[in-house]
Structures are given as C-alpha cells and as structure tokens.
C-alpha cells in the first residue's frame, strides 16, 4: 500500500481504498492518488475511516509503545501555568527532584518562585516511567516550604514533589544567568560566523544584523550551552520565558477534570513479568532449553575424541 493512502485524521486512521467497481471511480482515483487528492478524500464525507478492529489494534500498539498516565496534582497556579504552555517541562522537574542534592534542597526552603498559598487541582499527563519515578520517590519537603496545609492524598503528594522539582529547576536560572559579553566562546563563535559571511555584509546595529545575532544566540544557547550547563539550565530559561512573556489567566486553569487513570499497572506479579517479556521478545520462557542440558551437551562435545579430520558432534 502506498504511503499516500494511509492518514491519521482527527485521531483516527484513514485508508483510501482502491475502487472495487466502476461506480466507485467517481469518488476514488483509479491509480495512486496524489497528496492533494488523498487529503481531499480524507476530509470529505466519503468513508475512509479504517474499520473498528484496525483502529483497536493500532490504539493498543500505541499504548504499548508510548504509554502515558493521566492523574491529578494539587500544584501552585504558576506551575499549572507552565505545564499548560509547555508539557515537556514536567520531565525536567521530575529529574530535578530525583537528582537533588543538599544545595537543591535549600531552594525549597522558601519557595520563592512557586509559593504554595494559591494552588489548584490540575490534570497532568506523565509518561508512565516519569509517573512511577515521581510516585515512588521518597521525599520530605522542608518544614519552612509551607506544605503543612496539604493533605495525604496521591494528588497532594505528587503536587509537593512536582512543585519542589520546579523550584529546584528555577534555582538553576537564578544562579546561571548567561552574559554573552563575558563568554569568550561566544565571541569566538561570532567571529567565526563573520568570517563565513553569516551577516551578509550588514553593518552592526542594523535590523538584519540584530535579527541574525538573535538567531545565533538562540542556536548557541540551545546547541552549545546545553553541553556545558546541562539541559536543566535550558529548561529553566524556557520556564522563565513563559512566566515573563505569557500572562497568567487563573480562570483558564480552573477546569472540570476527568477521572485519573488507574495505576494498577504499577503492580505486576512475576508471572505477569514473564508474560510481558515473552510478548516483547517473542520467546516462550517455559520452553527454553534448560541450563543443565546446555552444560551436558557442552561437556559431551569437549570429551568427544577428535581425529585429524576434525571433531564430529556426538550423537
């Protein structure tokens, strides 16, 4: 099947069929459709949605390959604001909490960036790995952080950990403010761009020169500083950008939350683990050759007498 005959549209898989009879030639092209023809068919009223069994198989494979977990977290409105505009920040916050040291804990004593007085129950989507990592992480926030009014529910526990993770993340921004004038590597980088004609002969201070310089800074901070300062610094700057450039609308954060996903998938028996390994690797553990038979076969082979014609496998 040609790639322009299969599409995903509005969360469903669409397959453009080949005409089964002359009457269908009115709606479907006889040969391989062009991209524009295919898009028009998928968006039209004609039936191109794949049948239910195909949809179910694909959805099942998607859940297996990229599992996610939706849950509720009681978090400050500023944290909810960040996740509303960049969901990728959640991974950085989880890693900051789980990789914390004593210096990071000091950032959580006052909660200067994310005060916990004004919080909201928010829906958060984790990858299963991040959810399990955050849920099982043993963490007790400093008493001065102000979480005494939090309850003992999973939503409150996750909210405490996630909020402290973001506070640690933002401490990276406060302590690592990049100044291009003091960075010798940046000066060498700009000099190299000038030698290669990057600025197209524009005078320094012109509009085009400023635009090109800004693009060079964006590339440098993402590609170069990431290696020296780590991804934490990059995500901290992105979080700071959102908080300073995008106004916080508390009314948009108030939402009717759907039920949280069941997390029973965290609890598996040894038998279920063996079954999962069999499904992934395509092997039957119960039918594997035993270790004893492997050892016996190797011993028999070593003890077998060889001749000038070589070694024959024992029968």
């Amino acid at each position: 099947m040609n790639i322009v005959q299969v599409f995903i549209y509005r969360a469903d898989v669409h397959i453009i069929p080949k005409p089964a009879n002359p009457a269908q030639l009115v709606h479907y092209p006889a040969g391989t459709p062009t991209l524009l023809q295919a898009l028009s068919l998928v968006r039209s009223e004609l039936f191109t949605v794949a049948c239910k069994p195909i949809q179910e198989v694909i959805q099942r494979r998607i859940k297996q390959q990229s599992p996610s977990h939706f849950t509720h977290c009681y978090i400050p409105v500023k944290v909810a604001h960040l996740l509303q505009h960049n969901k990728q920040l959640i991974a950085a916050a989880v890693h900051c909490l789980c990789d914390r040291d004593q210096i990071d804990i000091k950032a959580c004593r006052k909660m200067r960036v994310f005060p916990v007085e004004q919080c909201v129950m928010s829906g958060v989507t984790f990858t299963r790995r991040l959810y399990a990592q955050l849920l099982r992480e043993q963490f007790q926030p400093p008493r001065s952080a102000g979480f005494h009014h939090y309850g003992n529910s999973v939503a409150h526990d996750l909210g405490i950990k996630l909020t402290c993770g973001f506070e640690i993340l933002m401490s990276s921004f406060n302590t690592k403010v990049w100044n291009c004038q003091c960075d010798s590597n940046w000066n060498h980088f700009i000099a190299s761009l000038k030698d290669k004609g990057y600025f197209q002969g524009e005078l320094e201070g012109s509009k085009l020169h400023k635009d090109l310089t800004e693009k060079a800074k964006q590339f440098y901070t993402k590609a170069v500083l990431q290696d020296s300062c780590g991804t934490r610094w990059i995500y901290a700057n992105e979080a700071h950008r959102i908080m300073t450039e995008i106004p916080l609308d508390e009314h948009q954060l108030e939402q009717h939350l759907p039920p949280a996903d069941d997390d029973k998938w965290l609890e598996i028996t040894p038998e279920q683990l063996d079954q999962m390994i069999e499904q992934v690797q395509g092997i039957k553990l119960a039918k594997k050759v035993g270790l004893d038979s492997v050892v016996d076969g190797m011993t028999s082979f070593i003890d077998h007498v060889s001749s000038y014609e070589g070694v024959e496998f024992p029968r």
Side-chain angles (χ1 to χ4, degrees):
M1 184 175 294
N2 196 285
I3 58 173
V4 297
Q5 293 181 250
V6 181
F7 290 86
I8 296 178
Y9 181 61
R10 292 181 178 174
D12 288 322
V13 175
H14 291 252
I15 301 176
I16 300 175
K18 293 183 177 180
N21 52 63
Q24 292 186 352
L25 289 172
V26 178
H27 306 292
Y28 303 112
T32 302
T34 64
L35 181 59
L36 291 177
Q37 288 177 325
L39 292 175
S40 177
L41 287 170
V42 170
R43 292 168 177 167
S44 67
E45 299 297 328
L46 296 176
F47 188 77
T48 57
V49 181
C51 61
K52 186 176 180 180
I54 293 178
Q55 302 285 356
E56 291 177 348
V57 169
I58 293 174
Q59 291 299 326
R60 187 162 56 248
R61 287 295 301 273
I62 291 175
K63 290 181 179 179
Q64 291 174 353
Q65 297 298 324
S66 56
S68 60
H69 185 88
F70 175 81
T71 190
H72 301 162
C73 294
Y74 191 64
I75 51 180
V77 291
K78 285 187 176 181
V79 174
H81 176 63
L82 287 177
L83 294 178
Q84 184 183 46
H85 294 282
N86 191 337
K87 294 180 173 58
Q88 293 181 350
L89 292 174
I90 193 170
V94 173
H95 292 154
C96 284
L97 180 80
C98 297
D99 299 335
R100 66 190 180 277
D101 54 26
Q102 291 302 316
I103 297 178
D104 292 330
I105 294 298
K106 291 181 180 179
C108 301
R109 291 178 180 175
K110 298 298 182 181
M111 302 301 293
R112 290 188 173 90
V113 183
F114 301 104
V116 298
E117 287 77 15
Q118 191 175 6
C119 296
V120 63
M121 189 66 74
S122 180
V124 181
T125 301
F126 296 83
T127 64
R128 284 192 172 185
R129 181 182 65 82
L130 288 176
Y131 175 77
Q133 188 176 2
L134 189 65
L135 183 67
R136 300 305 187 196
E137 180 69 20
Q138 298 295 322
F139 176 70
Q140 188 67 31
R143 292 185 178 181
S144 59
F147 291 104
H148 52 273
H149 65 285
Y150 272 51
N152 297 322
S153 66
V154 174
H156 286 79
D157 179 61
L158 291 173
I160 291 173
K161 297 174 182 176
L162 198 58
T163 304
C164 288
F166 272 105
E167 189 72 29
I168 294 171
L169 176 67
M170 292 311 299
S171 69
S172 303
F173 175 82
N174 293 332
T175 58
K176 293 181 179 179
V177 179
W178 177 63
N179 187 346
C180 62
Q181 301 299 328
C182 301
D183 189 343
S184 59
N185 291 327
W186 162 255
N187 295 328
H188 290 307
F189 179 67
I190 284 294
S192 177
L193 291 179
K194 288 181 179 178
D195 294 340
K196 292 179 171 59
Y198 171 76
F199 291 100
Q200 306 173 23
E202 288 289 323
L203 294 176
E204 188 171 349
S206 65
K207 185 178 183 305
L208 180 56
H209 191 282
K210 290 181 179 179
D211 292 340
L212 293 173
T213 302
E214 184 61 30
K215 290 180 180 179
K217 283 183 179 179
Q218 293 176 2
F219 173 82
Y220 183 83
T221 54
K222 291 181 180 180
V224 180
L225 289 182
Q226 180 171 346
D227 294 334
S228 58
C229 300
T231 55
R232 179 187 290 194
W233 188 87
I234 303 299
Y235 285 118
N237 277 270
E238 170 62 13
H240 181 265
R241 184 195 66 80
I242 293 174
M243 289 190 294
T244 55
E245 297 182 4
I246 303 178
L248 191 155
D249 188 349
E250 296 182 12
H251 297 291
Q252 290 185 354
L253 301 177
E254 298 176 359
Q255 51 183 319
H256 177 69
L257 299 178
D261 293 343
D262 193 344
D263 61 1
K264 288 185 178 180
W265 52 268
L266 286 166
E267 305 171 1
I268 59 174
T269 64
E271 293 76 16
Q272 291 174 325
L273 179 60
D274 289 344
Q275 185 179 6
M276 292 169 60
I277 295 175
E278 290 178 7
Q279 292 175 350
V280 173
Q281 297 183 349
I283 61 175
K284 299 295 182 180
L285 297 180
K287 296 182 179 180
K288 294 289 286 182
V289 179
L291 182 59
D292 293 338
S293 63
V294 174
V295 174
D296 293 341
M298 180 61 69
T299 303
S300 177
F301 174 76
I302 293 175
D303 294 341
H304 190 70
V305 179
S306 62
S307 66
Y308 67 90
E309 294 181 347
V311 180
E312 295 183 359
F313 285 94
R315 298 180 181 278

